[in-house]
Amino acid sequence: MRKPTSLFLLSFAVLLFISNQKMNAQEGNVSIQQNQKIEKLMEVKTELNKNNKIGDRYVIQLFYGDNGEANEVIQKYRNTYNYPSQITYEAPNYKVWVGNFRSRLEADRALLKVKENFPSAFIPKPQRR
């Protein structure tokens, strides 16, 4: 077996010495001052997000036609699924819309489930609000 060289022993001793030394970190305090209007804007944005009034959203359209049939379709839907649903009016017809999805991927996943009972369902292009 080889004897350790003096350079190796010296390096090992220095490494042990450094690893045994107490490490000190610097301490500091951060003070953030922001305008009260920023907090108010954040509250307004949160409220708009809750009401889904910001950004493009995706929905699934189940039906397009008269009001009586739209009500029948939405009742059938609500008995089977739990995504939010609504009837919207676009003269002269009514639409049954389902969901309020943030991404196309979410809407596509839901569409696969909904198409089992509503084969004509589709995802219309989202409209800017």
Side-chain angles (χ1 to χ4, degrees), residues 89-116:
Y89 180 71
E90 186 177 290
N93 293 306
Y94 293 84
K95 297 178 182 179
V96 176
W97 282 352
V98 170
N100 190 18
F101 305 100
R102 290 180 184 257
S103 70
R104 177 66 190 229
L105 182 61
E106 282 183 82
D108 284 336
R109 287 180 180 158
L111 180 63
L112 290 174
K113 294 177 187 175
V114 170
K115 275 198 171 248
E116 294 172 2

Side-chain angles (χ1 to χ4, degrees), residues 1-46:
M1 185 163 147
R2 280 179 49 191
K3 286 186 177 182
T5 63
S6 59
L7 181 59
F8 174 76
L9 290 174
L10 181 61
S11 300
F12 187 70
V14 169
L15 182 63
L16 283 176
F17 178 75
I18 291 172
S19 65
N20 285 332
Q21 294 298 315
K22 182 180 176 186
M23 301 287 177
N24 292 325
Q26 295 178 353
E27 293 183 23
N29 293 325
V30 176
S31 175
I32 299 175
Q33 298 175 355
Q34 72 180 23
N35 192 329
Q36 294 296 323
K37 291 179 182 178
I38 293 174
E39 288 182 28
K40 181 67 177 166
L41 284 173
M42 292 302 292
E43 290 173 10
V44 169
K45 183 179 184 298
T46 302

